[in-house]
Amino acid sequence: MKILAIASAGGHWIQLLRLQPAFRNQEVVFVSTKMGFENMVKGQTFFLVPDSNRWDKFSLMKGFWHIYKLVNIIKPDIIITTGAAPGLIAVITGRCLGIKTIWIDSIANVEELSMSGKIAKVVATKLYTQWPDLIESDVHYNGNVLS
């Protein structure tokens, strides 16, 4: 199975890296927004994409274009993300192309899903929270990246 694992720099990326044991024996392509992160996933394929956020519509469009091209090149079986905007773009792109997608909302969102998580809830194949208090019929909990 080919997995596209994508996250923004910072906590989103760290949380994605904590999921690596779950990717064992799979082909994983990592994607993030900060040059140098390829050193954190040595032996794995890594792609750099421009960072984007909801406050900068131009960066969103630029990010969408890069991620759309990348998903079409990689042709993953599944896309997994811990956020934020680039991960949401990958989830939307993946769903448009018929690819299964998993959104794992950041552990930082203790009281409610993130804004991107709320959007991903509508689009992603499966959405996980890292807090049991946030479980809903379509929001699942299976632990967190710290446990």
Side-chain angles (χ1 to χ4, degrees), residues 14 29 43 47 65-66 70-71 82-84 114 124 128:
I14 298 302
V29 177
F47 289 96
W65 178 245
H66 277 84
L70 203 53
V71 169
T82 50
S114 66
Y128 289 93

Side-chain angles (χ1 to χ4, degrees), residues 9-10 13-18 20 30 32 34-44 46:
W13 177 251
I14 298 302
Q15 291 174 64
L16 186 66
L17 292 181
R18 295 203 60 145
Q20 285 187 84
F30 285 93
S32 191
K34 189 168 182 179
M35 193 174 297
F37 278 7
E38 65 271 16
N39 294 327
M40 300 169 84
V41 291
K42 289 183 178 172
Q44 307 279 345
F46 176 86

Side-chain angles (χ1 to χ4, degrees), residues 65-89:
W65 178 245
H66 277 84
I67 292 168
Y68 178 81
K69 287 192 312 185
L70 203 53
V71 169
N72 273 294
I73 292 168
I74 297 168
K75 299 189 183 319
D77 298 303
I78 190 164
I79 297 171
I80 298 174
T81 183
T82 50
L88 182 59
I89 292 168

